[in-house]
Amino acid sequence: MYIDMRFLQTLYILIMLVFSSCAEFLDKKPDIKLVVPRTLKDADLLLSDYSTMNSNYPVFGEIGTDDYYLTAQRWEGVSNYEQRMAYVWADETYTDVVQWQRPYKVVYVANQVLDILGQLNNKNLEQDYKRVLGGAHFYRAFAFHQLAGIYCGAYDPARSSKELGIPLRLTPDVDAKSVRASLEETYNQIIADLKIAVANLPKEELVKGKPHLPAAYAALARVYLDKGDYGQAYAYADSCLMIRPELLDFNNLSLSANFPIVRFNPEVLFPALGTAAPLMAATTALMDTLLYDSYADGDLRKKAFFKPNNNPANSQYFKGSFDQSNTLFFGITTSEVYLVKAETACRIGKLPEARDAINKLLKSRWDKNKLYVPVLESDGEKLLRFILDERRKELVFRGRRWSDLKRLNLEPRFQRSLKRVVGDKTYILPPNDPRYAYRLSETVLELSGIEQNKR
């Protein structure tokens, strides 16, 4: 083997520099003031850590959805064993702590920020104080909601006070004992946090990635939709769109690009990204053929979201991430809010408002060279089914399908059994199956002593 001596000399110099720097650092007397955040600026900087606060949210739910499939060869080729098991809804021991730990890191930082703010004076006189306060509550609520979507069952008001929720850690005390709250308590805390965010966040936020008032309204609409409180979901969706009605015109996208949808585009209210999901990588997951075929020829989402693949023949990959990358986007956009408004308007008898919302969204996705025929359906049931179909088509790989399947399974008319075929094995996930709440990592259970999901 040939060894480049110049490379070794360079490496030696670098090592000496590193040790020299370390020695200088160790010779200095530490100043605790440099490492303990105390000021409003410190708190703001903690929330500005995009890689912590906006990234690495759990992907197990999206892995379990029916929007894609894997051939046996592709499934076996994924090195992450637990993600392979999540794909077939295997009810076995999990040890992956990332899905649980990363959102709770967001919670810890948010709690740390709230602790700092609680020790500051003149808190009611500072707009910056209110912005940071609202941001901390928003991030905590968002993380709690992501966790509940993966590790809790569907919200049913008749059972929610008895169903297991998640541990609601509300202080930065790492020694505090973790106890799982009820699902009712979990949603109450999420809503309480978001309402504080609404009361304090500004209408606009100059720093991309940080939440603002429209994002808080949208998050509340999302949470109330999961709860089945359609009146509240409609009200908050409408409040959001009164401030931020913007939609992308898909005619202006570079549809042939690898990633046509630009990061931080005008639709994005709050960006959030999933953890690594090799099983759903851009050249691994194959789109469900019935889903792909459901897009009309004039629907530009068919070109913006998917790219053709020849192995197997006539299959499709996904390329429509709102992060303009291979990373799964789980954030909130105005397009999602239009869908919330359309669905909830339909459910509470506001059919004209439902049609207006769905038409505005679909027209922004339609080829301008082809006639757009507006939705005029006057039958509430048919209109609702149409909107739900469009919701699935618009929010593909956006972190909402798993929660949608859970909540819709509570209604017999919308129940769906999921099916996976891997080689000669077939796997079925019936409606309302306990596996819709993924098992907690055994590592988490051993360290915390909290209760495992019931089976």
Side-chain angles (χ1 to χ4, degrees):
M1 180 176 64
Y2 174 75
I3 299 177
D4 190 335
M5 293 304 297
R6 289 174 299 176
F7 170 78
L8 290 179
Q9 291 171 354
T10 303
L11 181 61
Y12 174 77
I13 292 171
L14 289 172
I15 292 172
M16 293 304 294
L17 286 172
V18 169
F19 277 105
S20 175
S21 299
C22 288
E24 290 177 8
F25 174 77
L26 292 173
D27 285 341
K28 293 180 180 179
K29 186 176 181 179
D31 185 349
I32 193 65
K33 294 180 181 178
L34 297 178
V35 295
V36 178
R38 300 176 184 275
T39 68
L40 181 61
K41 184 178 179 180
D42 293 337
D44 193 22
L45 287 172
L46 285 171
L47 296 185
S48 299
D49 183 359
Y50 190 88
S51 63
T52 294
M53 308 304 289
N54 298 72
S55 306
N56 294 306
Y57 286 97
V59 297
F60 273 9
E62 198 65 19
I63 286 174
T65 68
D66 55 348
D67 286 343
Y68 73 105
Y69 70 98
L70 299 174
T71 61
Q73 183 180 13
R74 289 170 183 265
W75 182 76
E76 291 166 356
V78 174
S79 60
N80 189 311
Y81 174 79
E82 297 199 356
Q83 290 195 12
R84 293 209 314 270
M85 294 301 99
Y87 175 76
V88 296
W89 318 295
D91 194 22
E92 62 176 53
T93 298
Y94 288 90
T95 58
D96 178 4
V97 298
V98 172
Q99 309 293 320
W100 182 267
Q101 182 267 340
R102 294 297 174 83
Y104 273 111
K105 185 177 181 180
V106 174
V107 172
Y108 172 77
V109 173
N111 287 336
Q112 189 178 22
V113 167
L114 293 174
D115 189 60
I116 295 170
L117 296 181
Q119 300 176 46
L120 297 179
N121 296 321
N122 300 322
K123 60 186 69 174
N124 296 322
L125 302 178
E126 294 278 355
Q127 287 301 312
D128 286 342
Y129 177 96
K130 293 183 65 177
R131 178 175 56 81
V132 176
L133 176 68
H137 282 282
F138 179 95
Y139 280 114
R140 187 167 72 182
F142 189 86
F144 280 159
H145 191 218
Q146 291 289 308
L147 287 159
I150 305 297
Y151 295 107
C152 301
Y155 181 92
D156 181 346
R159 306 194 314 264
S160 60
S161 62
K162 299 178 182 178
E163 294 291 327
L164 284 172
I166 59 172
L168 298 173
R169 300 191 68 90
L170 304 180
T171 74
D173 181 4
V174 295
D175 295 322
K177 182 177 176 59
S178 290
V179 178
R180 293 187 71 170
S182 70
L183 190 57
E184 182 69 24
E185 292 168 333
T186 297
Y187 271 89
N188 287 345
Q189 182 61 51
I190 293 169
I191 290 169
D193 274 334
L194 289 175
K195 286 185 175 180
I196 295 175
V198 163
N200 289 279
L201 287 173
K203 284 187 177 181
E204 296 182 2
E205 170 59 66
L206 297 179
V207 179
K208 294 185 183 298
K210 284 191 172 182
H212 43 49
L213 177 60
Y217 280 145
L220 277 166
R222 179 188 269 192
V223 172
Y224 276 117
L225 181 67
D226 280 355
K227 284 190 67 178
D229 190 336
Y230 303 122
Q232 291 282 10
Y234 175 86
Y236 282 111
D238 189 55
S239 295
C240 171
L241 295 175
M242 288 179 68
I243 305 172
R244 284 286 301 272
E246 296 88 351
L247 285 169
L248 287 175
D249 183 345
F250 273 35
N251 288 279
N252 298 328
L253 299 180
S254 298
L255 297 174
S256 61
N258 287 333
F259 303 106
I261 302 173
V262 178
R263 178 183 293 171
F264 302 133
N265 67 71
E267 281 192 17
V268 176
L269 296 167
F270 175 72
L273 310 177
T275 60
L279 186 139
M280 298 185 72
T283 56
T284 302
L286 302 168
M287 302 312 302
D288 179 77
T289 54
L290 293 178
L291 173 61
Y292 176 75
D293 290 341
S294 69
Y295 294 85
D297 290 339
D299 190 337
L300 295 178
R301 293 175 298 187
K302 201 168 189 175
K303 296 179 180 178
F305 288 175
F306 311 113
K307 59 182 176 181
N309 172 53
N310 294 321
N311 181 27
N314 301 317
S315 60
Q316 303 289 326
Y317 289 138
F318 179 74
K319 66 171 187 176
S321 171
F322 271 59
D323 187 58
Q324 203 175 13
S325 71
N326 286 323
T327 307
L328 293 174
F329 179 92
F330 292 167
I332 312 174
T333 66
T334 55
S335 51
E336 179 186 345
V337 180
Y338 275 101
L339 288 160
V340 174
K341 183 177 180 179
E343 178 185 343
T344 55
C346 192
R347 287 182 179 274
I348 63 178
K350 295 180 177 287
L351 298 193
E353 290 84 350
R355 289 190 292 266
D356 287 346
I358 197 64
N359 276 316
K360 186 167 185 179
L361 172 64
L362 295 183
K363 192 172 182 180
S364 72
R365 271 56 176 155
W366 198 256
D367 188 339
K368 63 182 180 182
N369 296 313
K370 296 184 178 182
L371 177 66
Y372 174 73
V373 179
V375 178
L376 300 174
E377 182 59 63
S378 59
D379 183 288
E381 177 68 16
K382 292 179 180 178
L383 180 59
L384 178 58
R385 290 182 178 276
F386 176 83
I387 291 169
L388 290 174
D389 287 342
E390 290 302 322
R391 179 177 172 86
R392 182 186 181 193
K393 289 156 66 175
E394 176 66 29
L395 302 181
V396 60
F397 278 28
R398 296 267 290 279
R400 300 310 303 147
R401 181 62 179 166
W402 189 248
S403 291
D404 282 348
L405 286 165
K406 286 199 292 187
R407 68 182 179 89
L408 292 173
N409 277 336
L410 295 177
E411 303 178 68
R413 57 181 171 161
F414 295 131
Q415 287 181 348
R416 179 189 294 256
S417 289
L418 305 190
K419 179 180 179 180
R420 302 280 203 215
V421 177
V422 180
D424 59 355
K425 293 185 178 180
T426 299
Y427 304 87
I428 302 293
L429 184 67
N432 302 312
D433 192 283
R435 288 174 292 172
Y436 268 105
Y438 275 94
R439 292 178 66 94
L440 275 62
S441 164
E442 293 299 319
T443 304
V444 171
L445 299 183
E446 291 172 6
L447 292 173
S448 66
I450 62 176
E451 186 177 353
Q452 180 63 276
N453 281 326
K454 298 175 182 178
R455 290 293 187 262

